[in-house]
Coordinates of all heavy atoms in Angstrom, one line a residue:
P438 N 60.1 35.3 52.2 CA 59.6 34.0 51.8 C 59.1 34.0 50.3 O 58.6 35.0 49.9 CB 58.5 33.7 52.8 CG 58.8 34.6 54.0 CD 59.4 35.8 53.4
P439 N 59.2 32.9 49.6 CA 58.8 32.8 48.2 C 57.3 33.3 48.0 O 57.1 34.0 47.0 CB 58.9 31.3 47.9 CG 60.1 30.9 48.8 CD 59.9 31.6 50.0
P440 N 56.3 32.9 48.8 CA 55.0 33.4 48.5 C 54.9 35.0 48.5 O 54.1 35.6 47.7 CB 54.1 32.8 49.6 CG 54.9 31.6 50.0 CD 56.3 32.0 49.9
L441 N 55.6 35.6 49.5 CA 55.6 37.0 49.5 C 56.4 37.7 48.4 O 56.2 38.8 48.1 CB 56.1 37.5 50.9 CG 55.3 37.0 52.1 CD1 55.8 37.7 53.4 CD2 53.8 37.3 51.9
Q442 N 57.4 36.9 47.9 CA 58.1 37.4 46.7 C 57.2 37.7 45.5 O 57.3 38.7 44.8 CB 59.2 36.5 46.3 CG 60.3 36.4 47.4 CD 61.4 35.4 46.9 OE1 61.6 35.2 45.7 NE2 62.1 34.8 47.9
V443 N 56.2 36.8 45.4 CA 55.2 36.9 44.3 C 54.4 38.1 44.5 O 54.1 38.9 43.6 CB 54.3 35.6 44.2 CG1 53.3 35.8 43.1 CG2 55.2 34.4 43.9
K444 N 53.9 38.4 45.7 CA 53.0 39.5 46.0 C 53.8 40.8 45.8 O 53.3 41.8 45.3 CB 52.4 39.4 47.4 CG 51.5 38.2 47.6 CD 50.7 38.4 48.9 CE 49.7 39.5 48.9 NZ 48.8 39.5 50.0
L445 N 55.1 40.8 46.3 CA 55.9 42.0 46.1 C 56.2 42.3 44.7 O 56.2 43.5 44.2 CB 57.2 41.9 46.9 CG 58.2 43.0 46.8 CD1 57.5 44.3 47.4 CD2 59.5 42.7 47.5
L446 N 56.4 41.3 43.9 CA 56.6 41.4 42.4 C 55.4 42.2 41.8 O 55.6 43.1 41.0 CB 56.8 40.1 41.8 CG 57.0 40.1 40.2 CD1 58.3 40.9 39.9 CD2 57.2 38.7 39.7
R447 N 54.2 41.8 42.2 CA 53.0 42.4 41.7 C 53.0 43.9 42.1 O 52.6 44.8 41.3 CB 51.7 41.7 42.2 CG 50.5 42.3 41.6 CD 49.3 41.7 42.2 NE 48.0 42.3 41.7 CZ 46.9 42.2 42.3 NH1 46.7 41.5 43.4 NH2 45.8 42.8 41.8
V448 N 53.4 44.2 43.3 CA 53.4 45.6 43.7 C 54.4 46.4 42.8 O 54.1 47.5 42.4 CB 53.8 45.7 45.2 CG1 54.1 47.2 45.6 CG2 52.8 45.1 46.1
L449 N 55.5 45.9 42.5 CA 56.5 46.5 41.7 C 56.1 46.7 40.3 O 56.4 47.7 39.6 CB 57.9 45.8 41.8 CG 58.6 45.8 43.2 CD1 59.8 44.9 43.1 CD2 59.0 47.2 43.6
Q450 N 55.3 45.7 39.8 CA 54.9 45.8 38.4 C 53.6 46.6 38.2 O 53.6 47.4 37.3 CB 54.7 44.3 37.9 CG 56.0 43.6 37.7 CD 55.7 42.1 37.2 OE1 54.6 41.6 37.5 NE2 56.6 41.6 36.4
E451 N 52.7 46.3 39.1 CA 51.3 46.9 38.9 C 51.0 48.0 39.9 O 50.0 48.7 39.7 CB 50.2 45.9 39.0 CG 50.5 44.6 38.1 CD 50.5 44.9 36.6 OE1 49.9 46.0 36.2 OE2 51.1 44.2 35.8
R452 N 51.8 48.2 40.9 CA 51.5 49.1 42.0 C 50.2 48.9 42.6 O 49.4 49.9 42.9 CB 51.6 50.6 41.4 CG 53.0 50.9 40.8 CD 54.1 51.0 41.9 NE 55.4 51.0 41.3 CZ 56.5 51.1 41.9 NH1 56.5 51.1 43.3 NH2 57.7 51.1 41.3
E453 N 49.8 47.6 42.8 CA 48.6 47.3 43.5 C 48.7 46.0 44.2 O 49.6 45.2 44.0 CB 47.4 47.2 42.4 CG 47.6 46.1 41.4 CD 46.5 46.1 40.4 OE1 46.0 47.1 40.1 OE2 46.2 45.0 39.9
F454 N 47.8 45.7 45.2 CA 47.8 44.5 46.0 C 46.4 44.4 46.7 O 45.6 45.4 46.7 CB 48.9 44.5 47.0 CG 48.8 45.6 48.0 CD1 48.2 45.4 49.2 CD2 49.4 46.8 47.8 CE1 48.1 46.4 50.2 CE2 49.3 47.8 48.7 CZ 48.6 47.6 49.9
E455 N 46.2 43.3 47.4 CA 45.0 43.1 48.3 C 45.5 42.9 49.7 O 46.5 42.2 49.9 CB 44.1 42.0 47.8 CG 43.3 42.3 46.5 CD 44.2 41.9 45.3 OE1 45.0 40.9 45.4 OE2 44.0 42.5 44.2
R456 N 44.7 43.3 50.7 CA 45.1 43.0 52.1 C 44.8 41.5 52.3 O 44.1 40.9 51.6 CB 44.2 43.8 53.0 CG 44.3 45.3 52.9 CD 43.6 46.0 54.1 NE 43.6 47.4 53.9 CZ 42.5 48.1 53.5 NH1 41.4 47.4 53.3 NH2 42.5 49.4 53.4
V457 N 45.4 41.0 53.3 CA 45.2 39.6 53.7 C 43.8 39.4 54.1 O 43.2 40.1 54.9 CB 46.1 39.2 54.9 CG1 45.9 37.8 55.3 CG2 47.6 39.4 54.5
G458 N 43.1 38.4 53.5 CA 41.7 38.2 53.7 C 40.8 39.1 53.0 O 39.5 39.1 53.2
G459 N 41.3 40.0 52.2 CA 40.4 41.0 51.5 C 40.4 40.7 50.0 O 41.1 39.9 49.4
T460 N 39.4 41.4 49.3 CA 39.2 41.2 47.8 C 39.4 42.6 47.1 O 39.4 42.6 45.9 CB 37.9 40.6 47.5 OG1 36.8 41.5 48.1 CG2 37.7 39.2 48.1
L461 N 39.4 43.6 47.9 CA 39.5 45.0 47.3 C 41.0 45.2 46.9 O 41.9 45.1 47.6 CB 39.1 46.0 48.3 CG 39.2 47.5 47.8 CD1 38.2 47.7 46.7 CD2 38.9 48.4 49.0
T462 N 41.1 45.6 45.6 CA 42.5 45.9 45.1 C 42.8 47.4 45.5 O 42.0 48.3 45.2 CB 42.5 45.8 43.5 OG1 42.2 44.5 43.2 CG2 43.9 46.2 43.0
I463 N 44.0 47.5 46.1 CA 44.4 48.8 46.6 C 45.6 49.3 45.7 O 46.6 48.6 45.5 CB 44.9 48.7 48.0 CG1 43.7 48.2 48.9 CG2 45.4 50.0 48.6 CD1 44.1 47.8 50.3
K464 N 45.4 50.5 45.2 CA 46.5 51.1 44.4 C 47.4 51.9 45.3 O 46.9 52.6 46.2 CB 45.9 52.0 43.3 CG 45.0 51.4 42.3 CD 46.0 50.7 41.2 CE 45.2 50.2 40.0 NZ 46.1 49.6 39.0
V465 N 48.7 51.8 45.0 CA 49.6 52.5 45.9 C 50.7 53.2 45.0 O 51.0 52.8 43.9 CB 50.4 51.5 46.9 CG1 49.5 51.1 47.9 CG2 51.0 50.4 46.1
D466 N 51.2 54.3 45.5 CA 52.3 55.0 44.9 C 53.4 55.1 45.9 O 53.5 56.0 46.7 CB 51.8 56.4 44.5 CG 53.0 57.3 44.0 OD1 53.9 56.7 43.5 OD2 52.9 58.6 44.1
V467 N 54.3 54.1 45.8 CA 55.4 54.0 46.7 C 56.7 53.8 45.9 O 56.7 53.2 44.9 CB 55.3 52.9 47.8 CG1 54.1 53.2 48.7 CG2 55.1 51.6 47.1
R468 N 57.8 54.3 46.5 CA 59.1 53.9 46.0 C 59.7 52.8 46.9 O 59.7 52.9 48.1 CB 60.0 55.1 46.0 CG 61.4 54.8 45.5 CD 62.3 56.0 45.6 NE 63.5 55.9 44.8 CZ 64.4 56.8 44.5 NH1 64.2 58.0 45.0 NH2 65.4 56.6 43.7
V469 N 60.2 51.8 46.3 CA 60.8 50.7 47.0 C 62.3 50.7 47.0 O 62.9 50.8 45.9 CB 60.3 49.3 46.5 CG1 60.9 48.1 47.2 CG2 58.8 49.2 46.6
I470 N 62.9 50.7 48.2 CA 64.3 50.5 48.3 C 64.6 49.3 49.1 O 64.0 49.1 50.2 CB 64.9 51.7 49.0 CG1 64.7 53.0 48.3 CG2 66.5 51.5 49.2 CD1 65.2 54.3 49.0
A471 N 65.3 48.4 48.6 CA 65.6 47.1 49.2 C 67.1 47.0 49.6 O 67.9 47.6 48.9 CB 65.2 45.9 48.3
A472 N 67.4 46.2 50.6 CA 68.8 46.0 51.0 C 69.0 44.6 51.4 O 68.1 43.9 51.8 CB 69.1 46.9 52.2
T473 N 70.2 44.1 51.2 CA 70.6 42.7 51.5 C 72.1 42.6 51.8 O 72.9 43.3 51.2 CB 70.2 41.8 50.4 OG1 70.5 40.4 50.8 CG2 70.9 42.1 49.1
N474 N 72.4 41.7 52.7 CA 73.8 41.3 52.8 C 74.1 40.0 52.2 O 75.2 39.4 52.4 CB 74.2 41.3 54.3 CG 73.4 40.4 55.2 OD1 72.7 39.6 54.6 ND2 73.6 40.5 56.5
K475 N 73.1 39.4 51.6 CA 73.3 38.1 50.9 C 73.6 38.3 49.4 O 73.3 39.4 48.8 CB 72.0 37.3 51.0 CG 71.7 36.7 52.4 CD 70.4 35.9 52.4 CE 70.5 34.7 51.5 NZ 69.3 33.9 51.6
N476 N 74.2 37.3 48.8 CA 74.4 37.3 47.4 C 73.2 36.8 46.7 O 72.9 35.6 46.7 CB 75.6 36.5 47.0 CG 76.0 36.7 45.5 OD1 75.2 36.7 44.6 ND2 77.3 36.7 45.3
L477 N 72.4 37.7 46.1 CA 71.1 37.3 45.5 C 71.3 36.4 44.3 O 70.4 35.6 44.0 CB 70.2 38.5 45.2 CG 69.7 39.3 46.4 CD1 68.8 40.5 46.0 CD2 69.1 38.5 47.5
E478 N 72.4 36.6 43.6 CA 72.6 35.8 42.4 C 72.8 34.3 42.8 O 72.3 33.4 42.1 CB 73.8 36.3 41.6 CG 73.5 37.7 41.0 CD 74.7 38.2 40.2 OE1 75.7 37.5 40.2 OE2 74.5 39.2 39.5
D479 N 73.5 34.1 44.0 CA 73.7 32.7 44.5 C 72.3 32.2 44.9 O 72.0 31.0 44.7 CB 74.7 32.7 45.6 CG 76.1 33.0 45.2 OD1 76.3 32.9 44.0 OD2 76.9 33.3 46.0
A480 N 71.5 33.0 45.5 CA 70.2 32.6 46.0 C 69.3 32.2 44.8 O 68.5 31.3 44.9 CB 69.5 33.7 46.8
M481 N 69.4 33.0 43.7 CA 68.7 32.6 42.5 C 69.1 31.3 41.9 O 68.3 30.5 41.5 CB 68.8 33.7 41.4 CG 68.1 35.0 41.7 SD 68.1 36.2 40.4 CE 69.8 36.5 40.2
A482 N 70.4 31.0 42.0 CA 70.9 29.7 41.5 C 70.4 28.6 42.3 O 70.2 27.5 41.8 CB 72.5 29.8 41.5
K483 N 70.1 28.8 43.6 CA 69.6 27.8 44.5 C 68.0 27.8 44.5 O 67.4 27.1 45.3 CB 70.1 28.0 45.9 CG 71.6 27.9 46.0 CD 72.1 28.2 47.4 CE 73.6 28.2 47.5 NZ 74.1 28.6 48.8
N484 N 67.4 28.6 43.6 CA 66.0 28.7 43.6 C 65.4 29.3 44.9 O 64.2 28.9 45.3 CB 65.3 27.4 43.2 CG 65.6 27.0 41.8 OD1 65.7 27.8 40.9 ND2 65.8 25.7 41.6
E485 N 66.1 30.1 45.6 CA 65.7 30.6 46.8 C 65.1 32.1 46.6 O 64.5 32.6 47.5 CB 66.8 30.7 47.9 CG 67.3 29.3 48.3 CD 68.5 29.3 49.2 OE1 69.0 30.5 49.5 OE2 68.9 28.3 49.7
F486 N 65.4 32.6 45.5 CA 65.0 34.0 45.2 C 64.6 34.0 43.7 O 65.3 33.5 42.8 CB 66.1 35.0 45.5 CG 65.6 36.4 45.7 CD1 65.2 36.8 46.9 CD2 65.6 37.3 44.6 CE1 64.7 38.1 47.1 CE2 65.1 38.6 44.8 CZ 64.7 39.0 46.1
R487 N 63.5 34.7 43.4 CA 62.9 34.8 42.1 C 63.8 35.7 41.2 O 64.2 36.8 41.5 CB 61.5 35.3 42.1 CG 60.5 34.4 42.8 CD 59.1 35.0 42.8 NE 58.6 35.2 41.4 CZ 57.9 34.3 40.8 NH1 57.5 33.1 41.4 NH2 57.5 34.5 39.5
H488 N 64.0 35.2 39.9 CA 64.8 36.0 39.0 C 64.0 37.2 38.6 O 64.7 38.3 38.6 CB 65.0 35.1 37.7 CG 66.0 34.0 37.9 ND1 65.7 32.9 38.5 CD2 67.3 33.9 37.4 CE1 66.8 32.1 38.5 NE2 67.8 32.7 37.9
D489 N 62.7 37.1 38.4 CA 62.0 38.3 37.9 C 61.9 39.4 39.0 O 62.0 40.6 38.7 CB 60.6 38.0 37.5 CG 59.9 37.0 38.4 OD1 60.4 36.7 39.5 OD2 58.8 36.5 38.0
L490 N 61.8 39.0 40.3 CA 61.8 39.9 41.4 C 63.2 40.6 41.5 O 63.3 41.8 41.7 CB 61.5 39.2 42.7 CG 61.5 40.1 43.9 CD1 60.5 41.3 43.8 CD2 61.1 39.3 45.2
Y491 N 64.2 39.8 41.3 CA 65.6 40.4 41.4 C 65.8 41.5 40.4 O 66.3 42.6 40.7 CB 66.6 39.3 41.2 CG 68.1 39.8 41.1 CD1 68.8 40.2 42.2 CD2 68.7 39.9 39.8 CE1 70.1 40.7 42.1 CE2 70.0 40.3 39.7 CZ 70.7 40.8 40.8 OH 71.9 41.2 40.7
Y492 N 65.4 41.2 39.1 CA 65.5 42.2 38.1 C 64.7 43.5 38.3 O 65.0 44.6 37.9 CB 65.3 41.6 36.7 CG 66.3 40.5 36.4 CD1 65.9 39.2 36.1 CD2 67.7 40.8 36.4 CE1 66.8 38.3 35.8 CE2 68.6 39.8 36.1 CZ 68.2 38.6 35.8 OH 69.1 37.6 35.6
R493 N 63.5 43.3 39.0 CA 62.6 44.4 39.3 C 63.3 45.3 40.4 O 63.1 46.5 40.4 CB 61.3 43.9 39.7 CG 60.4 43.5 38.6 CD 59.9 44.8 37.8 NE 59.1 44.4 36.7 CZ 58.6 45.3 35.8 NH1 58.9 46.6 36.0 NH2 57.8 44.9 34.8
L494 N 63.9 44.6 41.3 CA 64.5 45.3 42.4 C 65.9 46.0 42.0 O 66.2 47.1 42.5 CB 64.8 44.4 43.6 CG 63.6 43.8 44.4 CD1 64.0 42.8 45.3 CD2 62.9 45.0 45.1
N495 N 66.6 45.3 41.2 CA 67.9 45.8 40.8 C 67.9 46.7 39.6 O 68.6 46.5 38.6 CB 68.8 44.6 40.5 CG 70.3 44.9 40.4 OD1 70.7 45.9 41.0 ND2 71.1 44.2 39.6
V496 N 67.1 47.8 39.7 CA 67.1 48.8 38.6 C 68.4 49.6 38.7 O 69.1 49.7 37.7 CB 65.8 49.7 38.7 CG1 65.9 50.8 37.7 CG2 64.6 48.9 38.6
V497 N 68.7 50.1 39.8 CA 70.0 50.7 40.1 C 70.5 50.1 41.4 O 69.6 49.8 42.3 CB 69.9 52.2 40.2 CG1 69.7 52.8 38.8 CG2 68.9 52.7 41.1
S498 N 71.7 49.9 41.6 CA 72.3 49.2 42.8 C 73.4 50.0 43.3 O 74.2 50.7 42.6 CB 72.7 47.8 42.4 OG 73.7 47.8 41.5
L499 N 73.5 49.9 44.7 CA 74.6 50.6 45.4 C 75.2 49.5 46.3 O 74.5 48.8 47.0 CB 74.0 51.7 46.2 CG 75.0 52.4 47.3 CD1 76.2 53.0 46.6 CD2 74.2 53.4 48.1
E500 N 76.6 49.5 46.3 CA 77.3 48.6 47.3 C 77.9 49.4 48.3 O 78.8 50.2 48.1 CB 78.3 47.8 46.5 CG 79.0 46.7 47.3 CD 78.1 45.5 47.6 OE1 77.1 45.3 46.8 OE2 78.4 44.7 48.5
M501 N 77.4 49.3 49.6 CA 78.0 50.0 50.7 C 79.4 49.5 51.0 O 79.5 48.2 51.2 CB 77.1 50.0 51.9 CG 75.8 50.7 51.7 SD 76.0 52.5 51.4 CE 76.7 53.0 53.0
P502 N 80.4 50.3 51.1 CA 81.8 49.8 51.4 C 81.9 49.3 52.8 O 81.3 49.9 53.8 CB 82.6 51.0 51.1 CG 81.8 52.2 51.4 CD 80.4 51.7 51.0
A503 N 82.7 48.2 53.0 CA 83.0 47.8 54.4 C 83.9 48.8 55.0 O 84.7 49.5 54.4 CB 83.6 46.4 54.3
L504 N 84.0 48.8 56.3 CA 84.8 49.8 57.1 C 86.3 49.5 56.8 O 87.0 50.5 56.7 CB 84.5 49.7 58.6 CG 85.2 50.7 59.5 CD1 84.8 52.1 59.0 CD2 84.7 50.6 60.9
R505 N 86.7 48.3 56.6 CA 88.1 48.0 56.3 C 88.5 48.6 54.9 O 89.7 48.7 54.6 CB 88.4 46.5 56.4 CG 87.6 45.7 55.4 CD 87.8 44.2 55.6 NE 86.9 43.4 54.8 CZ 85.7 43.1 55.2 NH1 85.3 43.5 56.4 NH2 84.9 42.4 54.4

Side-chain angles (χ1 to χ4, degrees):
L441 298 188
Q442 292 181 27
V443 178
K444 295 192 70 170
L445 178 60
L446 179 62
R447 185 185 173 198
V448 172
L449 294 173
Q450 289 178 330
E451 308 297 337
R452 301 293 167 176
E453 63 182 30
F454 63 90
E455 290 87 29
R456 298 191 190 102
V457 178
T460 57
L461 178 66
T462 298
I463 300 171
K464 293 284 187 178
V465 289
D466 172 25
V467 293
R468 179 181 196 171
V469 175
I470 302 176
T473 180
N474 59 10
K475 290 180 62 175
N476 188 320
L477 294 185
E478 293 183 354
D479 290 346
M481 288 190 296
K483 299 175 183 177
N484 293 321
E485 295 175 356
F486 201 84
R487 294 180 62 93
H488 288 73
D489 45 8
L490 177 58
Y491 172 76
Y492 295 124
R493 281 289 179 181
L494 291 171
N495 192 27
V496 177
V497 288
S498 60
L499 168 66
E500 189 72 18
M501 292 298 293
L504 187 54
R505 61 182 171 276

